[in-house]
Amino acid sequence: MIDYDLELQHHNDVLRRACAIRASDRVLDVGCGTGQTAREAARLATSGSVLGIDRSNEMIERARALAGEAELSNVEYVCADAEGHLLSRESFDVAISRFGTMFFGHPVAAFSNIRNALRPDGRLVMMVWQSRDRNEWATSIERVFTSDEAGSTNAGAVPQAFSLGDPDVVKRLLDSAGFVAPSFDEVNAPVFYGRDVDSAFEFVSAFSTVQEKVARLDVQQCTRAFDRLRQLLAEHQRGDGVWFESRAWIVAARRNPSMRS
């Protein structure tokens, strides 16, 4: 069965290296989902600790169960929103996130809260998608479900998943939130959608974005769209599965030591 962790297997390897977690680090994992990145950080922070936060209680419960199965005692999970949750001040050495920061309703407030939780020399390391037009998985699947009969999307809108794709936008947000010296390292890695077309079709069909588009189609339109989706997936079938190209950033920054919490 395909899940988000398997989909991002190559991205996860890149992020883990970029985070460079030390044995004594106290780590904050923002938007931790079912906890893979937090568990990996906990295995590295052997004399430290990890706090994973996510807005989904279902994911947090799953993360707790998986941490228990892995017998990790130095990781904790809390159902919370990074924007408003009261984090312990100046308690963490590093804040990490794997595609969890693009969905902030009020990004300056959320990043400010994260900055306040970091120690004076603390750092932020997050992975975010680059712009939508640089991500084949997004554009090609969008075209499958967007035709003349289905109506077109608002070309001026920036989907939330790509809200941090512009480095200039991110620099302004981080500066306003009290971070300095942001860097952007490009990640060119494919996403995995399944071992074959059938498993990829089941996985992609369940995407919330796909479900939203399907809801606007009649039966005939839906049938044609799903036929196009199967064809698209077949075109991306390789010997080891169905893969789509993607582009992301590893964004790293440090807390501004001169700014008070």
Side-chain angles (χ1 to χ4, degrees):
M1 180 177 178
I2 308 304
D3 61 18
Y4 194 56
D5 293 336
L6 193 56
E7 175 189 356
L8 300 173
Q9 55 191 274
H10 291 316
H11 296 78
N12 202 62
D13 292 341
V14 175
L15 179 62
R16 184 174 58 251
R17 292 192 295 269
C19 290
I21 303 298
R22 301 166 299 186
S24 61
D25 277 344
R26 294 193 65 192
V27 182
L28 172 66
D29 188 353
V30 179
C32 66
T34 56
Q36 181 185 37
T37 47
R39 291 191 301 276
E40 292 183 350
R43 292 187 180 98
L44 295 169
T46 52
S47 60
S49 62
V50 181
L51 173 64
I53 63 173
D54 196 280
R55 293 184 298 182
S56 168
N57 187 63
E58 180 180 0
M59 289 188 177
I60 287 297
E61 289 301 322
R62 179 59 177 158
R64 288 170 177 160
L66 290 171
E69 291 174 10
E71 298 183 345
L72 292 168
S73 60
N74 62 335
V75 59
E76 177 187 1
Y77 294 101
V78 173
C79 184
D81 190 328
E83 183 178 326
H85 184 65
L86 185 60
L87 297 164
S88 299
R89 292 296 188 253
E90 299 189 354
S91 295
F92 298 95
D93 299 288
V94 56
I96 67 174
S97 182
R98 186 188 69 183
F99 299 118
T101 56
M102 303 97 62
F103 303 100
F104 292 152
H106 301 88
V108 172
F111 282 121
S112 295
N113 196 29
I114 294 168
R115 180 257 301 161
N116 289 343
L118 290 172
R119 291 172 175 168
D121 60 346
R123 56 197 177 92
L124 168 70
V125 183
M126 61 182 181
M127 180 174 276
V128 300
W129 294 119
Q130 291 189 26
S131 61
R132 177 183 171 279
D133 60 6
R134 300 207 70 201
N135 280 278
E136 180 194 35
W137 60 270
T139 56
S140 59
I141 293 173
E142 172 87 16
R143 284 193 295 269
V144 162
F145 291 95
T146 303
S147 65
D148 292 339
E149 59 191 4
S152 59
T153 57
N154 181 355
V158 178
Q160 207 170 7
F162 308 102
S163 65
L164 300 180
D166 184 339
D168 289 334
V169 170
V170 177
K171 288 175 184 176
R172 290 194 295 270
L173 290 173
L174 293 179
D175 179 70
S176 297
F179 286 94
V180 295
S183 62
F184 296 79
D185 291 327
E186 185 161 7
V187 179
N188 177 3
V191 292
F192 177 69
Y193 281 168
R195 66 186 183 280
D196 53 34
V197 171
D198 287 340
S199 58
F201 181 84
E202 181 180 2
F203 182 56
V204 174
S205 298
F207 288 1
S208 60
T209 52
V210 169
Q211 291 296 310
E212 289 169 4
K213 294 181 185 305
V214 167
R216 297 197 292 267
L217 304 179
D218 63 30
V219 174
Q220 290 184 338
Q221 291 170 344
C222 187
T223 298
R224 289 193 292 268
F226 278 133
D227 286 344
R228 291 193 296 269
L229 177 60
R230 281 193 175 275
Q231 180 180 350
L232 175 68
L233 296 172
E235 292 169 356
H236 286 76
Q237 171 82 60
R238 304 190 324 204
D240 57 348
V242 178
W243 299 83
F244 282 75
E245 292 300 316
S246 77
R247 297 290 188 278
W249 296 116
I250 291 282
V251 184
R254 290 195 171 273
R255 172 179 167 159
N256 185 342
S258 64
M259 181 174 288
R260 294 184 177 181
S261 298

Coordinates of all heavy atoms in Angstrom, one line a residue, residues 3-85:
D3 N 1.8 5.1 0.7 CA 1.4 6.2 1.6 C 2.3 7.4 1.3 O 3.2 7.4 0.5 CB 1.4 5.8 3.0 CG 2.8 5.3 3.5 OD1 3.8 5.6 2.8 OD2 2.9 4.6 4.5
Y4 N 2.1 8.5 2.1 CA 2.9 9.7 1.9 C 4.4 9.5 2.1 O 5.2 10.1 1.4 CB 2.3 10.7 2.9 CG 2.7 12.2 2.6 CD1 2.5 12.7 1.3 CD2 3.4 12.9 3.6 CE1 2.9 14.1 1.1 CE2 3.7 14.2 3.3 CZ 3.5 14.8 2.1 OH 3.8 16.1 1.8
D5 N 4.7 8.7 3.1 CA 6.1 8.4 3.4 C 6.8 7.7 2.2 O 7.9 8.1 1.8 CB 6.3 7.6 4.6 CG 5.9 8.3 5.9 OD1 5.9 9.6 5.9 OD2 5.6 7.7 6.9
L6 N 6.1 6.7 1.6 CA 6.7 6.0 0.5 C 6.7 6.9 -0.8 O 7.7 6.9 -1.5 CB 5.9 4.8 0.2 CG 6.5 3.7 -0.8 CD1 7.8 3.3 -0.3 CD2 5.5 2.5 -0.9
E7 N 5.7 7.7 -0.9 CA 5.7 8.7 -2.0 C 7.0 9.6 -2.0 O 7.6 9.9 -3.1 CB 4.5 9.6 -2.0 CG 4.4 10.6 -3.0 CD 3.3 11.6 -2.8 OE1 2.5 11.4 -1.8 OE2 3.2 12.6 -3.6
L8 N 7.4 10.0 -0.8 CA 8.4 11.0 -0.7 C 9.8 10.3 -0.2 O 10.6 11.0 0.4 CB 8.0 12.1 0.3 CG 6.8 12.9 0.0 CD1 6.4 13.8 1.1 CD2 7.0 13.7 -1.3
Q9 N 10.0 9.1 -0.6 CA 11.1 8.4 -0.1 C 12.5 9.0 -0.5 O 13.4 9.1 0.4 CB 11.1 6.9 -0.6 CG 11.0 6.8 -2.1 CD 10.7 5.3 -2.5 OE1 11.6 4.6 -2.7 NE2 9.4 5.0 -2.7
H10 N 12.6 9.5 -1.7 CA 13.8 10.2 -2.1 C 14.0 11.6 -1.4 O 15.1 12.0 -1.0 CB 13.9 10.4 -3.6 CG 14.0 9.1 -4.3 ND1 14.9 8.1 -3.9 CD2 13.4 8.6 -5.4 CE1 14.9 7.1 -4.7 NE2 14.0 7.3 -5.7
H11 N 12.9 12.3 -1.3 CA 12.9 13.6 -0.6 C 13.3 13.5 0.8 O 14.0 14.3 1.4 CB 11.5 14.3 -0.7 CG 11.1 14.6 -2.1 ND1 10.5 13.6 -2.9 CD2 11.1 15.7 -2.8 CE1 10.2 14.2 -4.1 NE2 10.5 15.5 -4.0
N12 N 12.8 12.4 1.5 CA 13.1 12.2 2.9 C 14.6 12.0 3.1 O 15.1 12.5 4.1 CB 12.3 11.0 3.4 CG 12.1 11.0 4.9 OD1 11.5 11.9 5.4 ND2 12.7 10.1 5.6
D13 N 15.2 11.3 2.2 CA 16.7 11.1 2.4 C 17.4 12.4 2.3 O 18.4 12.7 3.1 CB 17.2 10.1 1.3 CG 16.7 8.7 1.4 OD1 16.3 8.4 2.6 OD2 16.7 8.0 0.4
V14 N 17.0 13.3 1.4 CA 17.7 14.6 1.2 C 17.5 15.4 2.4 O 18.4 16.1 3.0 CB 17.1 15.3 0.0 CG1 17.7 16.7 -0.2 CG2 17.5 14.5 -1.3
L15 N 16.2 15.5 2.9 CA 15.9 16.3 4.1 C 16.7 15.8 5.3 O 17.2 16.6 6.1 CB 14.4 16.3 4.4 CG 14.0 17.1 5.6 CD1 14.3 18.6 5.4 CD2 12.5 16.9 5.8
R16 N 16.8 14.5 5.5 CA 17.5 14.0 6.7 C 18.9 14.4 6.7 O 19.5 14.8 7.8 CB 17.4 12.5 6.7 CG 18.0 11.8 8.0 CD 17.8 10.3 8.1 NE 18.3 9.6 6.9 CZ 17.5 9.1 5.9 NH1 16.2 9.2 6.0 NH2 18.1 8.5 4.9
R17 N 19.6 14.4 5.6 CA 21.0 14.8 5.5 C 21.1 16.3 5.8 O 22.0 16.8 6.4 CB 21.6 14.5 4.1 CG 21.7 13.0 3.9 CD 22.6 12.7 2.7 NE 22.0 13.2 1.5 CZ 21.2 12.4 0.7 NH1 20.9 11.2 1.1 NH2 20.7 12.9 -0.4
A18 N 20.1 17.1 5.2 CA 20.2 18.5 5.4 C 20.0 19.0 6.8 O 20.5 20.0 7.3 CB 19.2 19.2 4.5
C19 N 19.1 18.2 7.5 CA 18.8 18.6 8.9 C 20.0 18.4 9.8 O 20.2 19.1 10.8 CB 17.7 17.8 9.5 SG 16.1 18.2 8.7
A20 N 20.9 17.4 9.5 CA 22.1 17.2 10.3 C 21.9 17.2 11.8 O 22.5 18.0 12.5 CB 23.2 18.3 9.9
I21 N 20.9 16.4 12.2 CA 20.6 16.3 13.6 C 21.8 15.8 14.4 O 22.4 14.8 14.1 CB 19.4 15.4 13.9 CG1 18.2 15.9 13.0 CG2 19.0 15.3 15.3 CD1 17.7 17.3 13.4
R22 N 22.1 16.4 15.5 CA 23.2 16.0 16.4 C 22.6 15.2 17.6 O 21.4 15.3 17.9 CB 23.9 17.2 16.9 CG 24.6 18.1 15.8 CD 25.0 19.4 16.4 NE 23.9 20.2 16.9 CZ 24.0 21.5 17.3 NH1 25.1 22.1 17.2 NH2 22.9 22.1 17.8
A23 N 23.5 14.5 18.3 CA 23.0 13.6 19.3 C 22.3 14.3 20.4 O 21.4 13.8 21.0 CB 24.2 12.8 19.9
S24 N 22.8 15.5 20.8 CA 22.2 16.2 21.9 C 21.1 17.2 21.5 O 20.5 17.9 22.4 CB 23.3 17.0 22.6 OG 23.9 18.0 21.7
D25 N 20.7 17.2 20.3 CA 19.7 18.2 19.8 C 18.3 18.0 20.4 O 17.9 16.8 20.6 CB 19.6 18.2 18.3 CG 20.6 19.0 17.6 OD1 21.3 19.8 18.3 OD2 20.8 18.8 16.4
R26 N 17.6 19.1 20.7 CA 16.2 19.1 20.9 C 15.5 19.6 19.7 O 15.8 20.7 19.2 CB 15.8 20.0 22.1 CG 16.4 19.5 23.4 CD 15.7 20.3 24.6 NE 14.3 20.0 24.7 CZ 13.4 20.6 25.4 NH1 13.8 21.7 26.1 NH2 12.1 20.3 25.4
V27 N 14.7 18.7 19.1 CA 14.1 19.0 17.7 C 12.6 19.2 17.8 O 11.9 18.5 18.5 CB 14.4 17.7 16.8 CG1 13.9 18.0 15.4 CG2 15.9 17.4 16.8
L28 N 12.2 20.2 17.0 CA 10.8 20.4 16.8 C 10.4 20.1 15.4 O 11.0 20.6 14.4 CB 10.4 21.9 17.1 CG 9.0 22.4 16.7 CD1 8.0 21.7 17.6 CD2 8.9 23.9 16.8
D29 N 9.5 19.2 15.2 CA 9.1 18.7 13.8 C 7.7 19.3 13.6 O 6.7 19.0 14.2 CB 9.1 17.2 13.7 CG 8.8 16.7 12.3 OD1 8.5 17.5 11.4 OD2 8.9 15.5 12.1
V30 N 7.6 20.3 12.6 CA 6.4 21.0 12.3 C 5.6 20.3 11.2 O 6.2 20.1 10.1 CB 6.7 22.5 12.0 CG1 5.4 23.2 11.7 CG2 7.5 23.1 13.1
G31 N 4.4 20.0 11.4 CA 3.6 19.3 10.4 C 4.1 17.9 10.2 O 4.3 17.5 9.1
C32 N 4.3 17.2 11.3 CA 5.0 15.9 11.3 C 4.2 14.8 10.7 O 4.8 13.7 10.4 CB 5.4 15.5 12.7 SG 4.0 15.2 13.8
G33 N 2.9 15.0 10.4 CA 2.1 13.9 9.9 C 2.1 12.6 10.7 O 2.0 12.7 12.0
T34 N 2.4 11.5 10.2 CA 2.4 10.2 10.9 C 3.8 10.0 11.6 O 4.0 8.9 12.1 CB 2.0 9.0 10.0 OG1 2.9 9.0 8.9 CG2 0.6 9.2 9.6
G35 N 4.6 11.0 11.5 CA 5.8 11.0 12.4 C 7.1 10.4 11.9 O 8.1 10.2 12.6
Q36 N 7.2 10.1 10.6 CA 8.4 9.5 10.1 C 9.7 10.4 10.3 O 10.7 9.9 10.8 CB 8.3 9.2 8.6 CG 9.6 8.5 8.0 CD 9.6 8.3 6.5 OE1 9.1 9.2 5.8 NE2 10.1 7.2 6.0
T37 N 9.6 11.7 10.0 CA 10.7 12.5 10.1 C 11.1 12.7 11.6 O 12.2 12.8 12.0 CB 10.5 13.9 9.5 OG1 9.1 14.4 9.8 CG2 10.5 13.8 8.0
A38 N 10.1 12.7 12.5 CA 10.3 12.9 13.9 C 11.0 11.6 14.4 O 11.9 11.7 15.3 CB 9.0 13.1 14.7
R39 N 10.6 10.4 14.0 CA 11.2 9.2 14.5 C 12.6 9.1 14.0 O 13.5 8.7 14.8 CB 10.4 8.0 13.9 CG 9.0 7.8 14.6 CD 8.4 6.5 14.3 NE 8.3 6.2 12.8 CZ 7.2 6.7 12.1 NH1 6.3 7.4 12.7 NH2 7.1 6.4 10.8
E40 N 12.9 9.5 12.8 CA 14.3 9.5 12.3 C 15.1 10.5 13.1 O 16.3 10.2 13.4 CB 14.3 9.8 10.8 CG 13.7 8.7 10.0 CD 13.7 8.9 8.5 OE1 14.1 10.1 8.1 OE2 13.4 8.0 7.7
A41 N 14.6 11.7 13.4 CA 15.3 12.6 14.2 C 15.6 12.1 15.6 O 16.7 12.2 16.1 CB 14.5 13.9 14.3
A42 N 14.6 11.3 16.1 CA 14.8 10.8 17.5 C 15.9 9.7 17.5 O 16.6 9.6 18.5 CB 13.5 10.1 18.0
R43 N 16.0 9.0 16.4 CA 17.1 8.0 16.4 C 18.5 8.6 16.3 O 19.5 8.0 16.7 CB 16.9 7.1 15.1 CG 15.7 6.2 15.2 CD 15.6 5.2 14.1 NE 14.4 4.4 14.2 CZ 13.3 4.6 13.5 NH1 13.2 5.6 12.7 NH2 12.3 3.8 13.6
L44 N 18.5 9.9 15.8 CA 19.8 10.6 15.7 C 20.1 11.4 17.0 O 21.2 11.5 17.4 CB 19.8 11.5 14.5 CG 19.7 10.9 13.1 CD1 19.5 11.9 12.0 CD2 21.0 10.1 12.8
A45 N 19.0 11.9 17.6 CA 19.2 12.7 18.8 C 19.1 11.8 20.0 O 18.2 11.9 20.8 CB 18.1 13.8 18.9
T46 N 20.1 11.0 20.1 CA 20.1 9.9 21.1 C 20.1 10.4 22.6 O 19.6 9.8 23.5 CB 21.3 9.0 20.9 OG1 22.5 9.8 20.9 CG2 21.2 8.2 19.6
S47 N 20.7 11.6 22.8 CA 20.7 12.1 24.1 C 19.8 13.4 24.2 O 19.8 14.1 25.2 CB 22.1 12.5 24.6 OG 22.7 13.4 23.7
G48 N 19.1 13.6 23.1 CA 18.2 14.8 23.0 C 16.8 14.3 23.0 O 16.4 13.3 23.6
S49 N 15.9 15.1 22.3 CA 14.5 14.8 22.3 C 13.8 15.4 21.1 O 14.4 16.3 20.4 CB 13.8 15.3 23.6 OG 13.9 16.7 23.6
V50 N 12.7 14.9 20.7 CA 11.9 15.4 19.6 C 10.5 15.6 19.9 O 9.8 14.8 20.6 CB 12.0 14.4 18.4 CG1 11.3 14.9 17.2 CG2 13.5 14.1 18.0
L51 N 9.9 16.8 19.5 CA 8.5 17.0 19.6 C 7.9 17.2 18.2 O 8.4 18.1 17.5 CB 8.3 18.3 20.4 CG 6.8 18.8 20.5 CD1 5.9 17.8 21.2 CD2 6.7 20.2 21.1
G52 N 7.0 16.3 17.9 CA 6.3 16.5 16.6 C 4.9 17.0 16.8 O 4.2 16.6 17.7
I53 N 4.6 18.0 16.0 CA 3.2 18.6 16.1 C 2.6 18.6 14.7 O 3.2 18.7 13.7 CB 3.3 20.1 16.6 CG1 4.0 21.0 15.6 CG2 3.8 20.1 18.0 CD1 3.9 22.5 16.0
D54 N 1.3 18.4 14.7 CA 0.5 18.3 13.5 C -1.0 18.6 13.8 O -1.4 18.3 14.9 CB 0.6 16.9 12.8 CG 0.1 17.0 11.4 OD1 -1.1 16.9 11.1 OD2 0.9 17.0 10.5
R55 N -1.7 19.2 12.9 CA -3.1 19.6 13.2 C -4.1 18.4 13.1 O -5.2 18.5 13.6 CB -3.5 20.7 12.2 CG -2.8 22.0 12.3 CD -3.4 23.0 11.4 NE -3.2 22.7 10.0 CZ -3.6 23.4 8.9 NH1 -4.2 24.6 9.2 NH2 -3.3 23.0 7.7
S56 N -3.6 17.3 12.5 CA -4.5 16.1 12.4 C -4.4 15.2 13.6 O -3.3 14.6 13.8 CB -4.2 15.4 11.1 OG -4.8 14.2 11.0
N57 N -5.4 15.1 14.3 CA -5.4 14.2 15.5 C -5.2 12.7 15.0 O -4.5 11.9 15.7 CB -6.7 14.3 16.3 CG -6.6 13.5 17.6 OD1 -5.8 13.8 18.5 ND2 -7.5 12.5 17.7
E58 N -5.8 12.4 13.9 CA -5.7 11.0 13.3 C -4.2 10.7 13.0 O -3.7 9.6 13.4 CB -6.5 10.9 12.1 CG -6.5 9.5 11.4 CD -7.3 9.4 10.2 OE1 -7.9 10.4 9.8 OE2 -7.3 8.3 9.6
M59 N -3.5 11.6 12.4 CA -2.1 11.4 12.1 C -1.3 11.3 13.4 O -0.3 10.5 13.5 CB -1.6 12.5 11.2 CG -2.1 12.4 9.8 SD -1.3 13.6 8.7 CE -2.1 13.1 7.1
I60 N -1.6 12.2 14.4 CA -0.8 12.2 15.6 C -1.0 10.8 16.3 O 0.0 10.3 16.9 CB -1.3 13.3 16.5 CG1 -0.7 14.7 15.9 CG2 -0.8 13.1 17.9 CD1 0.8 14.8 15.9
E61 N -2.2 10.3 16.3 CA -2.4 9.0 17.0 C -1.7 7.9 16.3 O -1.1 7.0 16.9 CB -3.9 8.7 17.0 CG -4.8 9.5 17.9 CD -4.3 9.4 19.4 OE1 -4.0 8.3 19.8 OE2 -4.3 10.4 20.1
R62 N -1.6 8.0 15.0 CA -0.8 7.0 14.2 C 0.7 7.2 14.5 O 1.4 6.2 14.7 CB -1.1 7.2 12.7 CG -0.3 6.2 11.8 CD -0.6 4.7 12.1 NE 0.0 3.8 11.2 CZ 0.3 2.6 11.5 NH1 -0.1 2.0 12.7 NH2 0.9 1.8 10.7
A63 N 1.1 8.4 14.6 CA 2.5 8.7 14.9 C 2.9 8.1 16.3 O 4.0 7.5 16.4 CB 2.8 10.2 14.9
R64 N 2.0 8.3 17.2 CA 2.3 7.7 18.6 C 2.4 6.2 18.6 O 3.3 5.6 19.2 CB 1.2 8.2 19.5 CG 1.3 9.7 19.9 CD 0.0 10.1 20.7 NE 0.1 11.5 21.1 CZ -0.9 12.2 21.4 NH1 -2.2 11.7 21.4 NH2 -0.8 13.5 21.7
A65 N 1.5 5.6 17.8 CA 1.5 4.1 17.7 C 2.8 3.6 17.1 O 3.4 2.7 17.5 CB 0.3 3.6 16.9
L66 N 3.2 4.3 16.0 CA 4.5 3.9 15.3 C 5.7 4.1 16.2 O 6.6 3.3 16.1 CB 4.6 4.6 14.0 CG 3.6 4.2 12.9 CD1 3.6 5.2 11.7 CD2 3.8 2.8 12.5
A67 N 5.7 5.2 16.9 CA 6.9 5.4 17.8 C 6.9 4.4 18.9 O 8.0 3.9 19.3 CB 6.7 6.8 18.4
G68 N 5.7 4.0 19.4 CA 5.7 2.9 20.4 C 6.2 1.6 19.8 O 7.0 0.9 20.5
E69 N 5.8 1.3 18.6 CA 6.3 0.0 18.0 C 7.8 0.1 17.8 O 8.5 -1.0 17.9 CB 5.6 -0.1 16.6 CG 4.1 -0.5 16.7 CD 3.4 -0.5 15.3 OE1 4.2 -0.4 14.3 OE2 2.2 -0.5 15.3
A70 N 8.3 1.3 17.5 CA 9.8 1.4 17.3 C 10.5 1.5 18.6 O 11.8 1.6 18.6 CB 10.0 2.6 16.5
E71 N 9.8 1.6 19.7 CA 10.4 1.7 21.1 C 11.3 2.9 21.2 O 12.4 2.8 21.8 CB 11.1 0.4 21.4 CG 10.3 -0.9 21.4 CD 11.0 -2.1 21.8 OE1 12.3 -2.1 21.8 OE2 10.4 -3.1 22.2
L72 N 10.7 4.0 20.7 CA 11.4 5.3 20.9 C 10.9 6.1 22.0 O 9.7 6.4 22.0 CB 11.3 6.1 19.6 CG 12.0 5.5 18.3 CD1 11.6 6.3 17.1 CD2 13.5 5.6 18.5
S73 N 11.7 6.3 23.0 CA 11.2 7.0 24.2 C 11.5 8.5 24.2 O 11.1 9.2 25.2 CB 11.8 6.3 25.5 OG 13.3 6.4 25.4
N74 N 12.3 9.0 23.2 CA 12.7 10.4 23.2 C 11.9 11.2 22.2 O 12.4 12.3 21.8 CB 14.2 10.5 23.0 CG 14.6 10.0 21.6 OD1 13.9 9.1 21.1 ND2 15.7 10.4 21.2
V75 N 10.7 10.7 21.8 CA 9.9 11.5 20.8 C 8.5 11.6 21.4 O 7.9 10.6 22.0 CB 9.9 10.8 19.4 CG1 9.4 9.4 19.5 CG2 9.1 11.7 18.5
E76 N 7.9 12.8 21.3 CA 6.5 13.0 21.8 C 5.8 13.7 20.6 O 6.3 14.4 19.8 CB 6.6 14.0 23.0 CG 5.2 14.4 23.5 CD 5.3 15.5 24.6 OE1 6.5 15.9 24.9 OE2 4.3 15.9 25.1
Y77 N 4.5 13.4 20.6 CA 3.6 14.0 19.5 C 2.5 14.7 20.2 O 1.8 14.3 21.1 CB 3.1 12.9 18.6 CG 4.1 12.2 17.8 CD1 4.6 10.9 18.2 CD2 4.7 12.8 16.7 CE1 5.6 10.3 17.5 CE2 5.7 12.1 15.9 CZ 6.1 10.9 16.3 OH 7.1 10.3 15.6
V78 N 2.2 15.9 19.6 CA 1.1 16.7 20.1 C 0.2 17.2 18.9 O 0.8 17.6 17.9 CB 1.6 17.9 20.9 CG1 0.4 18.9 21.3 CG2 2.3 17.5 22.1
C79 N -1.1 17.1 19.0 CA -2.0 17.6 18.0 C -2.1 19.2 18.3 O -2.7 19.6 19.3 CB -3.4 17.0 18.1 SG -4.5 17.5 16.8
A80 N -1.5 19.9 17.4 CA -1.4 21.4 17.6 C -1.1 22.1 16.3 O -0.6 21.5 15.3 CB -0.3 21.7 18.6
D81 N -1.5 23.3 16.2 CA -1.2 24.2 15.1 C 0.0 25.1 15.4 O 0.0 25.7 16.5 CB -2.5 25.1 14.8 CG -2.4 25.9 13.5 OD1 -1.3 26.2 13.1 OD2 -3.4 26.1 12.9
A82 N 1.0 25.1 14.5 CA 2.2 25.8 14.8 C 1.9 27.3 15.0 O 2.7 28.0 15.6 CB 3.2 25.6 13.7
E83 N 0.8 27.8 14.4 CA 0.6 29.2 14.5 C 0.2 29.7 15.9 O 0.6 30.8 16.3 CB -0.5 29.6 13.5 CG -0.9 31.0 13.4 CD -1.9 31.3 12.4 OE1 -2.0 30.6 11.4 OE2 -2.7 32.3 12.6
G84 N -0.6 28.9 16.6 CA -1.1 29.4 17.9 C -0.7 28.5 19.1 O -0.9 29.0 20.2
H85 N -0.1 27.4 18.9 CA 0.3 26.5 20.0 C 1.4 27.1 20.8 O 2.3 27.7 20.3 CB 0.7 25.1 19.5 CG 1.0 24.2 20.6 ND1 0.0 23.7 21.4 CD2 2.2 23.6 21.0 CE1 0.5 22.9 22.3 NE2 1.8 22.8 22.0

